[in-house]
Amino acid sequence: MFDSTALDFWTMMESLLLTLLFSGMIGYERQSKHKVAGLTTHMLVALGAATLAIIQEGLYQDSITLINELAVTNPDLATRIVPERQRIIAQIVAGVGFLGTGAIIKTNGSIVGLTTASSLWITAIIGIAFGMQYFVLGIAVSLFALSALTLVKRVFKNLYVEQSNID
């Protein structure tokens, strides 16, 4: 959870460096499979999301400070300020969904790029998690996503091959 005093330089750097590291692993996996969006794209999407999450939290904390100051001098005005934490994050999720659409290609009746679009979307979520200082969640989601990209396909491919040989 975000610490209200944590908008210091080192905490922001920690959030951004973890974002780059873990989104980079996912981007590297995509690049190693020669996909449309690779290392740099995934890192930039996640870094942008983390930065906006940090900015959003700073704006939220500024609103709380302003409400507390106005509560003494102008209580009527203080009640009109509505601090919100979710607006920028909602726009990140929608915007990256739109970006992911560009990675999806339909040719000759087949659709490719869905996994890359999904990996862009999840790296944005990872960036948000690190930007909001949910470090354990960011690490866990990163590792689960990387597992889904690498291990799950191998397991199901082997199961499919084994099942085909049984028939």
Side-chain angles (χ1 to χ4, degrees):
M1 193 176 326
F2 210 95
D3 178 8
S4 63
T5 61
L7 284 174
D8 64 77
F9 176 79
W10 293 112
T11 304
M12 288 188 281
M13 290 303 105
E14 179 182 28
S15 295
L16 297 175
L17 288 172
L18 285 169
T19 298
L20 287 175
L21 174 67
F22 284 95
S23 65
M25 290 190 300
I26 294 169
Y28 178 78
E29 187 280 336
R30 295 281 78 202
Q31 187 163 323
S32 69
K33 292 185 177 173
H34 308 288
K35 301 302 177 180
V36 168
L39 178 67
T40 307
T41 305
H42 282 79
M43 290 173 79
L44 289 174
V45 166
L47 186 61
T51 302
L52 286 173
I54 292 168
I55 290 169
Q56 176 179 268
E57 187 59 30
L59 293 172
Y60 176 79
Q61 294 302 328
D62 289 347
S63 297
I64 298 298
T65 302
L66 184 59
I67 290 169
N68 290 336
E69 290 172 3
L70 289 175
V72 175
T73 60
N74 193 343
D76 290 335
L77 186 56
T79 60
R80 294 177 189 226
I81 298 172
V82 181
E84 295 181 351
R85 280 190 156 131
Q86 69 277 5
R87 285 187 183 238
I88 294 175
I89 287 177
Q91 296 307 311
I92 294 168
V93 173
V96 173
F98 179 77
L99 178 66
T101 304
I104 301 170
I105 302 167
K106 181 181 178 192
T107 57
N108 297 331
S110 67
I111 298 174
V112 296
L114 288 172
T115 303
T116 299
S118 299
S119 67
L120 284 170
W121 189 76
I122 198 70
T123 55
I125 304 303
I126 290 164
I128 292 168
F130 284 127
M132 296 294 294
Q133 295 184 1
Y134 288 98
F135 298 131
V136 173
L137 179 63
I139 292 169
V141 171
S142 299
L143 295 176
F144 285 138
L146 201 54
S147 296
L149 287 168
T150 56
L151 301 176
V152 171
K153 198 168 194 175
R154 287 183 194 155
V155 168
F156 282 101
K157 182 179 178 182
N158 290 339
L159 287 175
Y160 177 74
V161 170
E162 288 174 15
Q163 194 172 34
S164 297
N165 290 338
I166 293 173
D167 294 338

